[in-house]
């Protein structure tokens, strides 16, 4: 009968995942039938929501037994586990964690069970806002256990909250090794951690893995910005282009950024074509700034006729001497002397200092 009742204690579940594993219970001192029965009654009361009564009784019993023999001290630890379950059930995370801390100091408790309490205490410390204490406990636990991907992600996030970026990056790597296709939130965490740890390429790879038609626009923008920050303008443009084609990126600001990125990536003709269509369709306002961007794009693309035309249109609309001067310089460089002379004359009339030789017929 004693063995049967001990087996019942092995399955004792009290609160947020707190239990005594069968192997651990088998290695612990045997408990009397009265203690087992009392533990079972408190367990049932806890399941029925009697948190206050269970907490009071469990704490009193734990204090009663903590100075006794090995079996008493093991019983006291189990009562503290019950007290922890009762406190956790009403959101008293710090109090629950303290009960588990005291329980795992019991030498009669097998190491496997103390480790289980250690892991749960870490979760409770985190819930109580004691992030640094939680991290210390998790790192201790991981010295003896590989843990699940969830365990690794949890530790990585906690380390990130403490801004211990390099350590967090190491745990993100371990998490990704076991969970190579995490959800969007974990991908975002990985990207942030890698970026703050100075591992820009890993951060970008992590972000790119999560980019699809369902990803938030912010993820696409962040990935493009990160690529640009790494000096890879072509990659940034390609990311933006994909986001645009998926329909995730849209609107005036995103369209203009699409154009700017193609200019930076060395594909100015594409930038000019997009801008030309946008101005004609009204997708972008026909402003002087956008006209100047169009002129710059055609100029960078070395499309002489379109560049000269774009600068000419801009100069007439803006009336600014510097725009006329730019037109004149390009016209001269591209073998259009008459247009160059006329443009320089207009620039001079608008206050630009022009060498007289530009104004003579050549």
């Amino acid at each position: 009968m004693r063995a049967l009742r001990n087996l019942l204690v092995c399955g004792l579940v009290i609160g947020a995942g707190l239990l005594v594993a069968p192997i651990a219970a088998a290695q612990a001192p045997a408990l009397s039938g009265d203690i087992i029965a009392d533990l079972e009654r408190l367990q049932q009361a806890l399941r029925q929501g009697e948190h206050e009564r269970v907490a009071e009784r469990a704490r009193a019993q734990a204090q009663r037994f903590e100075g006794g023999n090995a079996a008493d001290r093991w019983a006291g630890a189990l009562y503290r586990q019950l007290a922890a379950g009762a406190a956790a059930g009403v959101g008293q995370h710090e109090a629950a964690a303290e009960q588990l801390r005291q329980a795992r100091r019991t030498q009669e408790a097998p190491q496997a069970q103390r480790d289980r309490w250690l892991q749960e205490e870490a979760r409770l410390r985190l819930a109580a806002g004691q992030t640094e204490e939680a991290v210390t406990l998790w790192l201790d636990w991981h010295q003896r256990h590989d843990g699940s991907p969830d365990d690794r992600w949890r530790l990585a996030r906690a380390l990130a909250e403490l801004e211990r970026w390099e350590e967090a990056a190491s745990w993100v790597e371990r998490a990704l090794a076991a969970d190579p296709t995490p959800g969007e939130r974990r991908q975002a965490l990985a990207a942030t951690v890698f970026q703050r740890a100075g591992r820009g390429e890993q951060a970008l790879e992590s972000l790119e893995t999560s980019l699809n038609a369902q990803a938030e626009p912010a993820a696409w923008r962040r990935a493009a910005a990160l690529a640009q920050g790494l000096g890879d303008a072509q990659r940034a443009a390609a990311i933006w282009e994909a986001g645009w084609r998926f329909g995730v990126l849209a609107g005036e600001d995103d369209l203009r950024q699409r154009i700017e990125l193609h200019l930076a990536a060395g594909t100015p003709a594409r930038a000019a074509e997009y801008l030309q269509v946008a101005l004609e369709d009204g997708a972008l306002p026909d402003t002087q700034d956008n006209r100047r961007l169009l002129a710059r794009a055609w100029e960078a693309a070395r499309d002489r006729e379109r560049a000269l035309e774009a600068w000419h249109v801009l100069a007439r609309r803006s009336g600014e001497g510097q725009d006329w001067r730019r037109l004149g310089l390009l016209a001269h460089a591209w073998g259009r002397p008459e247009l160059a002379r006329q443009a320089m004359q207009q620039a001079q009339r608008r206050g630009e200092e022009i060498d007289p030789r530009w104004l003579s017929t050549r």
Side-chain angles (χ1 to χ4, degrees):
M1 179 64 74
R2 173 71 58 87
L4 175 59
R5 306 202 73 177
N6 274 332
L7 185 59
L8 292 174
V9 176
C10 294
L12 188 64
V13 179
I14 42 113
L18 303 174
L19 57 83
V20 179
I23 294 177
Q27 295 172 346
L31 301 178
S32 70
D34 290 345
I35 292 176
I36 293 172
D38 191 40
L39 288 168
E40 289 174 344
R41 284 193 295 270
L42 289 177
Q43 176 196 20
Q44 184 61 31
L46 186 57
R47 285 174 171 164
Q48 294 174 352
E50 299 179 43
H51 298 94
E52 186 175 348
R53 184 174 76 83
V54 171
E56 184 177 352
R57 169 70 177 176
R59 288 196 301 267
Q61 289 290 81
Q63 292 173 358
R64 172 191 169 196
F65 286 116
E66 66 183 7
N69 58 27
D72 287 343
R73 290 191 293 273
W74 170 234
L78 293 177
Y79 278 112
R80 290 205 179 277
Q81 179 182 253
L82 276 166
V90 292
Q92 297 176 359
H93 300 117
E94 185 175 354
E98 182 59 25
Q99 290 296 324
L100 290 184
R101 183 187 70 82
Q102 294 185 55
R104 63 185 178 82
R105 293 170 61 185
T106 304
Q107 295 301 312
E108 287 72 21
Q111 183 64 52
Q113 184 57 42
R114 281 185 279 162
D115 278 353
R116 188 177 186 85
W117 287 333
L118 175 67
Q119 184 184 29
E120 191 61 36
E121 181 189 344
R123 292 174 181 166
L124 289 165
R125 297 285 181 196
L126 187 64
Q130 299 176 322
T131 307
E132 193 161 356
E133 292 87 342
V135 165
T136 299
L137 295 172
W138 268 320
L139 289 174
D140 182 7
W141 184 85
H142 274 289
Q143 289 181 359
R144 295 177 296 280
H145 306 274
D146 288 336
S148 67
D150 286 347
D151 293 325
R152 299 175 191 181
W153 282 114
R154 191 178 292 113
L155 179 52
R157 185 176 295 278
L159 285 164
E161 288 180 12
L162 297 176
E163 298 186 359
R164 291 162 60 173
W165 300 113
E166 191 56 46
E167 289 177 86
S170 175
W171 281 100
V172 166
E173 285 183 326
R174 292 177 65 171
L176 287 171
D179 182 22
T181 56
E184 189 173 332
R185 290 185 61 188
R186 286 178 172 177
Q187 285 286 9
L189 171 64
T192 297
V193 167
F194 284 140
Q195 188 172 4
R196 297 300 294 271
R199 304 185 188 185
E201 183 61 36
Q202 284 180 283
L204 182 53
E205 288 176 0
S206 182
L207 271 177
E208 285 181 311
T209 300
S210 66
L211 295 180
N212 53 49
Q214 284 72 48
E216 292 294 322
W220 288 90
R221 296 187 183 110
R222 184 180 179 188
L226 186 52
Q228 200 167 20
L230 291 171
D232 196 340
Q234 291 182 343
R235 194 171 178 183
I239 291 170
W240 203 273
E241 192 69 29
W244 184 269
R245 294 183 185 279
F246 273 131
V248 179
L249 301 176
E252 287 187 16
D253 292 342
D254 287 345
L255 177 54
R256 187 176 176 89
Q257 182 65 10
R258 183 189 186 199
I259 293 163
E260 293 276 11
L261 283 173
H262 276 293
L263 275 173
T267 50
R270 183 170 295 180
E273 290 167 358
Y274 290 155
L275 182 51
Q276 186 83 53
V277 171
L279 293 175
E280 292 173 357
D281 293 347
L284 286 177
D286 195 353
T287 63
Q288 289 183 25
D289 284 345
N290 284 336
R291 284 288 172 179
R292 187 168 288 109
L293 184 62
L294 179 63
R296 282 175 44 214
W298 284 128
E299 178 184 340
R302 306 293 293 177
D303 190 319
R304 297 183 179 187
E305 291 304 316
R306 285 175 170 167
L308 290 173
E309 180 184 0
W311 279 110
H312 206 169
V313 169
L314 173 63
R316 287 198 301 267
R317 291 183 54 172
S318 72
E320 295 184 12
Q322 62 183 359
D323 291 333
W324 283 107
R325 183 186 183 91
R326 186 60 188 166
L327 173 61
L329 290 172
L330 287 175
H332 174 73
W334 290 342
R336 298 284 297 277
E338 182 58 26
L339 178 58
R341 184 181 63 81
Q342 292 173 2
M344 289 302 187
Q345 287 175 343
Q346 293 290 339
Q348 185 183 53
R349 289 170 188 163
R350 288 159 176 78
E352 293 288 313
E353 293 186 9
I354 303 297
D355 190 319
R357 287 175 295 178
W358 285 104
L359 307 177
S360 61
T361 303
R362 299 190 181 190

